[in-house]
Amino acid sequence: MSAERYDAIVLGAGAAGLMCAALAGQRGRRVLLVDHAPEPGRKILISGGGRCNFTNVNATADRYISANPHFAKSALGRYTPRDFLALVERHGIAWHEKTLGQLFCDGSAREILAMLMAECAAGQVAFASGAPVSAIDHGDGLFRVRAGTVSAEAPALVLATGGPSIPKLGATGFAYDVARRFGLSVVEPRPALVPFTLGPEETLFRSLSGVSTDVEARCGKTAFREAALFTHRGLSGPAMLQISSYWRHRQPIAVDFLPDSATGWLIEAKRTRPRVTLRSALAAQLPDRLAEALADRLALAGELANLSDKALRAAEERLGGWSFTPSGTEGFAKAEVTVGGIATAGLSSQTMEARRVPGLYAIGEAVDVTGWLGGYNFQWAWASGWAAAQAI
Ligand SMILES: Cc1cc2nc3c(=O)[nH]c(=O)nc-3n(C[C@H](O)[C@H](O)[C@H](O)COP(=O)(O)OP(=O)(O)OC[C@H]3O[C@@H](n4cnc5c(N)ncnc54)[C@H](O)[C@@H]3O)c2cc1C
């Protein structure tokens, strides 16, 4: 089979691959975009509850997890949320800011995918979809790729096949295998932005399935102030998803159930409302079921007037740092993203090209750069895709 010649072959038609292919095509490069899935951009379609949280106005490198916290600075600084928003607006897509700088489509995530496909069409990007990559060879400065009946070669190969989160959507660790073959190292991939599971001893949390409340969740030095949701398997909600990206097995998580309460609030409540019970004092600030469960656990019965200041101080401390150790997470099957991936040490932060393998690039979630919840991961996909597209 004779190979068709391109300037670049991009593996993975997700957020990063579509962006990179479109921009390189528009710069006059002949680009082939290969994906084993029959349709491109499946994660885009389900993202943000179907509305795609396509960027975050606060997308700076400190909102990303990586073995090298500086690596993402260059790409994020050169292709910003404002740049992506300009593209969205050029395509007439209506959007809104939801909370914490998160930008969503008013309509549907389909609009973002349609926009990227239109940009690919403008760059005359060729697609090879629906067949697995069966071979990648490298020699004489060219990468040769076979996928189904397609055989292609190019001086540039871009790894944009993402991470292994949500395998039922076609996600794989393929990029890691290819990267290792070319001598790049891989930072241990772990499920991230993922719900926690709890062991049978965590009866407090397990009895509260369906309850949601605003908390501060802390793991080591990192803390997030957002909602937590108790589920029948454990804990979810933005605060828990965020902190899961920082969590390692057997580490405890501390939850502040009353992050807005001033120190000494319970003793103050005893002074101003001596006849109320602890449960009522808690119910004034927390969902009923949670207030009841916490009061039961603290085992301080009777009116506040009859409880010692020492006991109230201890209760307050416990409520401000309720420690538990998850038994695990719901794993890659439920993780929105993957922490870890292709080590940044082997890549140029300017171009995303492998330092030791000219012409090989890695972008998007495949790389060891993982954003917080809230549009940060797409912004990394766009920015890293943009950076590679300028170089190929
Ligand atoms: C449910 C859910 C909701 C999310 N919501 C948001 C959100 O609102 N905002 C946000 O910023 N992030 C969100 N994310 C994260 C975001 O989707 C990813 O970080 C982003 O899609 C990564 O882009 P990517 O191009 O690197 O990888 P992907 O988008 O995963 O694309 C990789 C592509 O490579 C293809 N591929 C994989 N393996 C192979 C192979 N072996 N051969 C050929 N092709 C292959 C896949 O089919 C896929 O098309 C969400 C994730 C999930 C799972």
Side-chain angles (χ1 to χ4, degrees):
M1 203 189 309
S2 76
E4 191 157 351
R5 182 69 183 262
Y6 290 89
D7 296 316
I9 300 168
V10 179
L11 301 183
L18 286 163
M19 186 73 175
C20 179
L23 294 175
Q26 290 172 26
R27 291 180 68 239
R29 306 292 181 265
R30 274 198 83 207
V31 182
L32 175 68
L33 185 47
V34 179
D35 202 297
H36 66 172
E39 304 292 340
R42 291 171 85 182
K43 279 194 184 167
I44 297 174
L45 291 179
I46 59 158
S47 67
R51 289 229 163 96
C52 188
N53 178 193
F54 54 79
T55 193
N56 191 299
V57 296
N58 304 313
T60 45
D62 58 345
R63 308 258 160 130
Y64 292 82
I65 304 163
S66 171
N68 176 359
H70 303 293
F71 181 82
K73 280 183 184 163
S74 172
L76 290 172
R78 285 181 300 145
Y79 190 84
T80 65
R82 203 181 289 263
D83 292 321
F84 192 76
L85 193 54
L87 181 64
V88 166
E89 291 192 329
R90 211 158 63 237
H91 284 257
I93 299 172
W95 58 276
H96 61 280
E97 180 172 339
K98 199 170 171 188
T99 174
L100 303 172
Q102 302 168 4
L103 306 192
F104 283 77
C105 297
D106 287 356
S108 155
R110 291 196 175 280
E111 294 170 275
I112 297 293
L113 182 56
M115 174 188 85
L116 293 167
M117 293 301 281
E119 291 290 316
C120 282
Q124 296 179 1
V125 173
F127 279 79
S129 311
V133 176
S134 52
I136 300 176
D137 299 309
H138 184 221
D140 305 326
L142 289 175
F143 295 88
R144 294 179 190 81
V145 171
R146 254 181 293 137
T149 56
V150 173
S151 181
E153 60 181 28
L157 179 70
V158 183
L159 301 178
T161 53
S165 296
I166 322 254
K168 76 167 193 271
L169 289 177
T172 67
F174 181 75
Y176 309 153
D177 301 338
V178 179
R180 283 195 191 99
R181 249 190 62 200
F182 284 102
L184 292 168
S185 51
V186 172
V187 175
E188 182 206 353
R190 290 183 289 121
L193 299 183
V194 63
F196 287 118
T197 54
L198 295 171
E201 70 282 5
E202 295 294 351
T203 47
L204 166 69
F205 294 136
R206 292 169 73 88
S207 65
L208 291 170
S209 182
V211 172
S212 169
T213 187
D214 221 32
V215 301
E216 185 182 89
R218 176 174 294 279
C219 180
K221 289 187 178 147
T222 310
F224 288 96
R225 170 72 200 276
E226 280 187 75
L229 170 70
F230 299 88
T231 71
H232 65 287
R233 298 196 60 189
L235 279 160
S236 187
M240 294 299 154
L241 298 180
Q242 296 278 34
I243 208 73
S244 75
S245 301
Y246 292 83
W247 181 77
R248 299 280 184 163
H249 274 276
R250 288 183 284 281
Q251 249 184 315
I253 306 272
V255 175
D256 183 349
F257 283 111
L258 296 161
D260 287 329
S261 297
T263 311
W265 73 271
L266 253 180
I267 292 172
E268 180 62 16
K270 173 177 163 179
R271 208 176 55 77
T272 53
R273 291 177 296 149
R275 298 282 155 243
V276 302
T277 60
L278 177 62
R279 184 189 159 177
S280 309
L282 288 173
Q285 307 183 61
L286 293 170
D288 260 354
R289 275 168 66 201
L290 177 59
E292 183 181 356
L294 289 171
D296 279 357
R297 275 304 180 94
L298 292 167
L300 294 178
E303 296 171 349
L304 294 182
N306 298 325
L307 299 171
S308 71
D309 284 4
K310 188 175 169 210
L312 291 178
R313 229 175 269 120
E316 196 183 305
E317 216 165 278
R318 187 99 194 276
L319 291 164
W322 200 283
S323 181
F324 71 98
T325 303
S327 59
T329 71
E330 294 195 25
F332 284 117
K334 292 282 164 66
E336 270 195 28
V337 290
T338 305
V339 157
I342 299 172
T344 57
L347 302 174
S348 154
S349 62
Q350 305 286 310
T351 62
M352 312 303 294
E353 187 175 17
R355 294 181 191 284
R356 299 229 174 100
V357 191
L360 180 68
Y361 297 78
I363 57 174
E365 201 180 313
V367 177
D368 173 32
V369 173
T370 308
W372 288 2
L373 185 78
Y376 295 97
N377 285 294
F378 278 139
Q379 187 57 35
W380 170 246
W382 318 134
S384 58
W386 179 91
Q390 307 312 304
I392 58 182

